Amino acid sequence: MHASFTDQLAGLDLSGFSIGPAPVSTNDFPVREAVVQTLEAIWSDLFAMVSGTALEADAEDLGWAFVNIFHRSATRKSATVDRATDEVRALIATADGSEIHTHELETQVERAQCAEGAMLALEEMREVAATLYLNEFGSSWKPVSSSRFNHSVMLTSALVEGRDFVRARSEAKRRAAMPEGTPVIFAGGRTRHPSEQDALTFANNVWATLDKVHDRVHDMVLVHGGDTKGVDRLASSWAERRSVPQISFSLDMRLGARAGFKRNERMLSLDPRYVVAFPGNGVLERLVIEAKARRITVVDRRGPLGTSPKAHLPSPG
């Protein structure tokens, strides 16, 4: 049964999955310096080509798509690792101690390790490209409908076997999805400013506020709504510049008018240390009320241009 299953697995389209020997070191993949130099050169040539042409208005879309090439490749490779890990789990469950079974298990572990090494390399390429995007457009790169996991600094299964491989793979996925640290919720809506100077003042207040919170919470994990057109975009860019892990809670549009309130519940369920509130709508007001009811400290910046409302209260008398 095992040989038949392995043959079927090998016959699937595994997006370049190699059934040869697994790599045993990072030397089997491009070194970071080469990745940085190559992607910087491609990026520079691409935007030099469209600069001053009718495509210049589409430059940010092109930049996003450039990063997405590596993101999609890494996602497909991660799925390959999942399939290979399932086969390792099946072989462990039916272990009979025979030499043939042991060889099949070792082979499948090598295949999974090979795919995982490729996944990590592709994720590193995506992160380099995402940094170029951040520097070019001033905003953090975010995929449309998936998470931006980065396993390179997490526990991985690079040099383990059998049951340890399965445990390590599961732990790596959990830690990538839920970074360790102290959650801090950031919330705000979409704002319009009468001048570029006002917009700059508002953005500076967002970053200065987050810097102050980060000074108090060194292991901060930023939690936000992931709105790419609102103030969440400023917060996400700050987090990437400061190398702060972030978790995005997008709206579940199937819930209709309840979507925003449900997102509030999900974010507050993380037991955050702070809620940082900038100007928004009634859903944000409810978030602040619920946070105070739970005795969560609220950093209120819902005053003019993202300042504290208390600073603008009329003096008594």
Side-chain angles (χ1 to χ4, degrees):
M1 181 188 72
H2 308 304
S4 175
F5 190 93
T6 302
D7 291 340
Q8 293 177 37
L9 186 70
L12 295 175
D13 178 12
L14 298 183
S15 301
F17 183 87
S18 172
I19 60 173
V24 294
S25 74
T26 55
N27 294 332
D28 293 281
F29 298 100
V31 298
R32 180 174 176 80
E33 291 76 11
V35 170
V36 171
Q37 291 177 9
T38 301
L39 295 189
E40 282 182 347
I42 296 173
W43 186 274
S44 177
D45 289 346
L46 174 63
F47 289 99
M49 178 183 67
V50 302
S51 179
T53 72
L55 291 178
E56 188 169 4
D58 300 306
E60 186 167 355
D61 288 342
L62 291 173
W64 185 92
F66 181 80
V67 184
N68 197 49
I69 291 172
F70 302 103
H71 175 71
R72 286 177 60 85
S73 296
T75 300
R76 287 195 297 268
K77 194 60 67 174
S78 179
T80 299
V81 178
D82 287 341
R83 290 195 295 268
T85 304
D86 287 341
E87 171 63 3
V88 171
R89 185 177 288 108
L91 289 169
I92 291 174
T94 57
D96 58 9
S98 68
E99 184 176 345
I100 293 177
H101 186 281
T102 300
H103 174 72
E104 289 176 351
L105 177 58
E106 291 174 349
T107 299
Q108 193 59 37
V109 168
E110 286 181 351
R111 290 177 179 175
Q113 289 173 336
C114 179
E116 184 168 65
M119 179 194 71
L120 296 177
L122 289 165
E123 284 186 345
E124 181 175 48
M125 292 179 184
R126 181 201 59 204
E127 292 305 304
V128 171
T131 299
L132 294 172
Y133 180 90
L134 176 66
N135 293 336
E136 184 77 30
F137 302 108
S139 61
S140 179
W141 185 88
K142 181 179 181 293
V144 171
S145 59
S146 61
S147 298
R148 179 178 158 187
F149 291 156
N150 186 7
H151 298 81
S152 61
V153 295
M154 305 299 175
L155 176 66
T156 65
S157 56
L159 296 173
V160 298
E161 299 289 340
R163 291 182 175 84
D164 291 335
F165 176 90
V166 174
R167 284 197 297 267
R169 175 64 182 163
S170 175
E171 176 67 5
K173 293 186 69 175
R174 185 194 67 79
R175 293 179 62 186
M178 181 59 70
E180 294 182 0
T182 302
V184 171
I185 294 176
F186 179 92
R190 299 183 181 184
T191 58
R192 291 182 178 272
H193 303 285
S195 68
E196 289 188 7
Q197 184 58 47
D198 284 346
L200 180 60
T201 299
F202 181 80
N204 287 338
N205 285 341
V206 170
W207 279 46
T209 299
L210 289 172
D211 279 335
K212 290 179 180 178
V213 174
H214 193 211
D215 287 342
R216 295 189 176 189
V217 186
H218 298 295
D219 64 340
M220 173 177 172
V221 176
L222 186 68
V223 181
H224 58 82
D227 185 0
T228 59
K229 296 182 180 180
V231 69
D232 288 345
R233 178 170 178 167
L234 291 172
S236 181
S237 298
W238 172 87
E240 187 151 345
R241 288 291 191 188
R242 300 292 191 264
S243 298
V244 171
Q246 49 186 315
I247 304 173
S248 172
F249 282 86
S250 300
L251 289 172
D252 185 350
M253 303 310 297
R254 296 171 298 179
L255 298 176
R258 297 186 296 112
F261 300 104
K262 185 62 177 179
R263 177 169 65 185
N264 287 352
E265 293 177 12
R266 293 169 63 202
M267 292 195 298
L268 289 172
S269 70
L270 299 179
D271 296 324
R273 172 83 173 274
Y274 293 101
V275 169
V276 180
F278 276 77
N281 56 18
V283 176
L284 185 144
E285 178 70 23
R286 175 53 56 182
L287 174 65
V288 171
I289 292 172
E290 289 292 332
K292 290 181 178 179
R294 299 184 186 206
R295 300 185 181 278
I296 299 170
T297 302
V298 175
V299 181
D300 198 340
R301 293 294 183 268
R302 291 177 292 169
L305 298 180
T307 59
S308 173
K310 295 181 181 179
H312 303 278
L313 291 174
S315 56

